[in-house]
Amino acid sequence: MAAMEEVVVEANWSIDRVYSFRSASRRSDSAQVIPITRSPTSEDTNYHVTSAANWGGGELNPQDAWLPITESRNGNTFSATFHLLCSGIGIQALLLPVALATLGWAWGIICLSLAFTWQLYTIWLLVHLHESDSGTRYSRYIDLAMTAFGQKLGKFLALVPVMYLSAGTCVQLIILGGGTIKLFIKTVCNDGANCDAKSLTNVECFLVFMCMSIVVAQFPNLNSIAWVSLIGATTAIAYCTLIWALSIGKGRPNGTSYNPPEMDDKMDRFGGILNALGIIVLVFRGHNVVLEIQGTLPLSLKHQTHKPMWRGVTVSYLIIAMCLYPLAIAGFWAYGNKVPSSNGGLLIAMSKFRHHDTSKIVLGLIYVLVVINCISTFQIYSMIIFDKLETSYTSRKNKACARWLRTTFRLFFGGMAFFAAVTLPFLGSLAPLIGGLTLPLAYAYPCLMWIAIKKPKPKSVMWCINVGLGGLGLVLSALLVIAAAWNLASRGLHANFFKPHGLDTVNHLDMVKTRF
């Protein structure tokens, strides 16, 4: 008898969600932000009564069953943790000692701790905004932004930053992964002593990395690459641990200094401080995929997704902190202000200062781990682009993508990303500028979306915290953009179009220096 009552309660809950969704759709166009390609039929409704997993486990849109983000809802806390770790730990963490070189020990660690707490709070907001009171699940960042800010404003604020952040990260991963492959070849060949270190050009290294990434990218949906994310998370933890352990174990190079770099005037000093803050706040990434990762979790009457998702966030960010803090502290202790500020950071410092007294096997292992991590991370961020491409197709054709078309979309994006990496190998130099433009996705928008959707009482604690952090995030974004533009104007941009160079190459002779 109790079992029958539970079934009835489950059925009534499901039907209520259908009615609430229909009434919400009539009230506001933004209630369901993904276009519905067909109206739910009575057959669909009856099936949903018997199974809450129909229409994606809570998101009442038949189209979601066709798209890579929401095609599979069979994830769990472990798979979410793997995705969060793989997307959250990146090679950008190797630049943290550069920030400490400018800010110093105390202020560097304080700012790192504040940024960590701030971004963890905004993730908490996103996790709890994933499910609305009406039963709709927002499994994409853009959907939530359009619901909070309205169709036009939400798309304007979120679409371009999210797409750039996803596609730009993939391009940057090609540059870093391909450059690391070149470092691996140089290490194995011992600078030409054992083999021809120039056997592969930089462009060919990019192509090798891109081919490996696209082969792995043929998995159908985000949930299916959980084991890929596990490999990526494991390799990230491994190379972070190896780098900071070797940095301490090998001691400091001669002439290591902890003094801030000398600046000609106060504006340069101010710009340097803002750039250091930019490195710290931008080292925490992945907010544009948090909702998508949560969208792979199943939803039922008794089991809401925010609980297992938050457990995954807690575990993953504890591990991320255990990787980032030792990297920042040990890296700055070992190299001081000698850490290169170019792409790679500590990775280049290891290659430059430790290649004489470190085993080639160890260095080669670090490079292999970095490449594997880049390939794995590529899968998560590229899935956002694949989902967008397939959304456009399914909205027009009212049917799922065929397997050959899905493969074509992924090959197309891989080719475009490779072309961008070869055409714009200096993209890392623009990271502070463009990163400042996308910073509100992580530090400002979640706070403002909470106010718009949850509508806390004005001047209450939650209202004050979110208004303050949201406003501060927007101001910080503007300051970082101004500082990045100032540095580009004063130092110039080394725009080596179509001439990618190695990660350890500085001021390449073929660079064309463009001054603004």
Side-chain angles (χ1 to χ4, degrees):
M1 193 68 180
M4 288 294 295
E5 292 178 356
E6 184 174 343
V7 171
V8 171
V9 171
E10 179 79 13
N12 291 335
W13 177 74
S14 302
I15 293 173
D16 290 342
R17 294 181 66 193
V18 173
Y19 288 142
S20 67
F21 168 73
R22 287 175 175 170
S23 61
S25 297
R26 289 192 294 268
R27 288 194 303 268
S28 172
D29 291 337
S30 63
Q32 183 68 24
V33 292
I34 305 177
I36 297 180
T37 55
R38 64 180 176 86
S39 300
T41 64
S42 58
E43 181 180 352
D44 291 329
T45 304
N46 292 334
Y47 182 72
H48 187 73
V49 169
T50 59
S51 173
N54 192 54
W55 300 346
E59 202 163 352
L60 304 178
N61 185 355
Q63 187 186 15
D64 288 324
W66 301 335
L67 302 176
I69 298 296
T70 50
E71 188 176 64
S72 173
R73 302 268 196 187
N74 298 321
N76 52 43
T77 300
F78 293 103
S79 63
T81 303
F82 301 154
H83 289 316
L84 289 166
L85 279 171
C86 189
S87 62
I89 303 178
I91 201 168
Q92 78 281 358
L94 302 179
L95 283 173
L96 281 174
V98 178
L100 266 65
T102 301
L103 298 174
W105 284 108
W107 280 111
I109 296 175
I110 290 173
C111 291
L112 180 61
S113 301
L114 290 175
F116 178 81
T117 306
W118 187 354
Q119 60 87 35
L120 192 60
Y121 171 71
T122 56
I123 290 180
W124 183 88
L125 295 177
L126 291 174
V127 168
H128 286 78
L129 287 172
H130 176 80
E131 301 160 15
S132 71
D133 295 335
S134 64
T136 304
R137 293 180 67 178
Y138 300 105
S139 298
R140 295 163 184 84
Y141 194 104
I142 298 173
D143 295 355
L144 185 62
M146 292 171 66
T147 300
F149 304 132
Q151 292 276 355
K152 293 183 179 179
L153 181 60
K155 183 178 290 187
F156 172 77
L157 293 176
L159 181 60
V160 173
V162 167
M163 289 298 109
Y164 166 76
L165 202 57
S166 301
T169 299
C170 291
V171 173
Q172 191 67 9
L173 288 169
I174 296 173
I175 296 172
L176 295 172
T180 307
I181 290 175
K182 188 66 176 180
L183 281 177
F184 174 77
I185 294 173
K186 285 184 63 177
T187 302
V188 171
C189 293
N190 197 15
D191 293 328
N194 300 330
C195 57
D196 184 8
K198 298 181 180 180
S199 56
L200 285 179
T201 65
N202 293 308
V203 174
E204 290 169 340
C205 289
F206 286 11
L207 182 60
V208 169
F209 178 87
M210 188 69 257
C211 290
M212 292 189 293
S213 298
I214 288 299
V215 168
V216 181
Q218 298 310 310
F219 286 92
N221 52 65
L222 183 59
N223 190 48
S224 66
I225 61 170
W227 68 272
V228 178
S229 294
L230 171 60
I231 295 174
T234 304
T235 53
I237 296 170
Y239 78 69
C240 287
T241 304
L242 281 173
I243 289 176
W244 70 256
L246 285 173
S247 298
I248 294 177
K250 296 294 182 179
R252 293 175 291 183
N254 295 329
T256 299
S257 173
Y258 302 112
N259 296 323
E262 296 183 2
M263 300 292 180
D264 295 333
D265 54 41
K266 292 183 178 179
M267 281 301 299
D268 287 339
R269 176 66 177 165
F270 180 68
I273 293 174
L274 285 179
N275 277 334
L277 292 176
I279 291 174
I280 289 176
V281 296
L282 295 177
V283 77
F284 300 106
R285 64 183 190 181
H287 285 67
N288 61 313
V289 297
V290 167
L291 292 173
E292 285 78 358
I293 293 171
Q294 190 170 353
T296 64
L297 302 179
L299 173 68
S300 68
L301 178 62
K302 293 183 178 180
H303 303 285
Q304 294 181 313
T305 62
H306 67 84
K307 293 180 180 179
M309 183 65 181
W310 185 245
R311 286 197 296 268
V313 170
T314 303
V315 173
S316 61
Y317 274 83
L318 177 63
I319 297 174
I320 288 173
M322 293 170 61
C323 291
L324 298 190
Y325 277 89
L327 271 179
I329 296 171
F332 183 50
W333 176 85
Y335 304 106
N337 54 22
K338 291 180 178 238
V339 179
S341 58
S342 59
N343 288 343
L346 281 175
L347 193 67
I348 308 306
M350 291 284 297
S351 175
K352 181 177 179 181
F353 299 111
R354 300 302 184 196
H355 70 282
H356 296 300
D357 59 356
T358 304
S359 168
K360 302 295 182 185
I361 296 177
V362 174
L363 287 177
L365 176 61
I366 292 175
Y367 298 147
V368 169
L369 292 173
V370 170
V371 172
I372 295 175
N373 171 253
C374 289
I375 292 174
S376 302
T377 307
F378 183 93
Q379 310 310 314
I380 298 178
Y381 287 94
S382 63
M383 199 64 72
I384 309 300
I385 307 299
F386 301 155
D387 187 83
K388 182 61 178 176
L389 293 173
E390 293 191 28
T391 297
S392 300
Y393 174 83
T394 55
S395 297
R396 291 187 178 94
K397 299 296 184 179
N398 194 21
K399 62 179 181 179
C401 288
R403 183 59 184 267
W404 68 267
L405 183 58
R406 175 171 279 184
T407 301
T408 301
F409 280 148
R410 300 183 182 199
L411 290 174
F412 169 76
F413 172 72
M416 293 300 295
F418 171 74
F419 178 77
V422 174
T423 306
L424 308 170
F426 55 90
L427 192 63
S429 302
L430 298 176
L433 176 64
I434 305 177
L437 294 172
T438 60
L439 182 139
L441 291 177
Y443 292 90
Y445 292 168
C447 302
L448 301 179
M449 289 190 292
W450 181 274
I451 294 175
I453 294 176
K454 296 296 185 179
K455 294 180 172 52
K457 185 178 180 181
K459 298 184 180 180
S460 64
V461 175
M462 283 297 291
W463 187 88
C464 292
I465 291 175
N466 286 299
V467 168
L469 291 180
L472 182 60
L474 294 177
V475 171
L476 181 59
S477 173
L479 290 176
L480 292 182
V481 170
I482 293 172
W486 175 271
N487 283 335
L488 286 175
S490 61
R491 300 177 185 177
L493 173 66
H494 296 283
N496 49 320
F497 292 100
F498 295 101
K499 293 181 180 180
H501 54 78
L503 291 179
D504 56 346
T505 304
V506 180
N507 295 329
H508 196 276
L509 293 177
D510 292 332
M511 288 184 181
V512 179
K513 189 172 184 181
T514 307
R515 298 193 68 86
F516 294 88

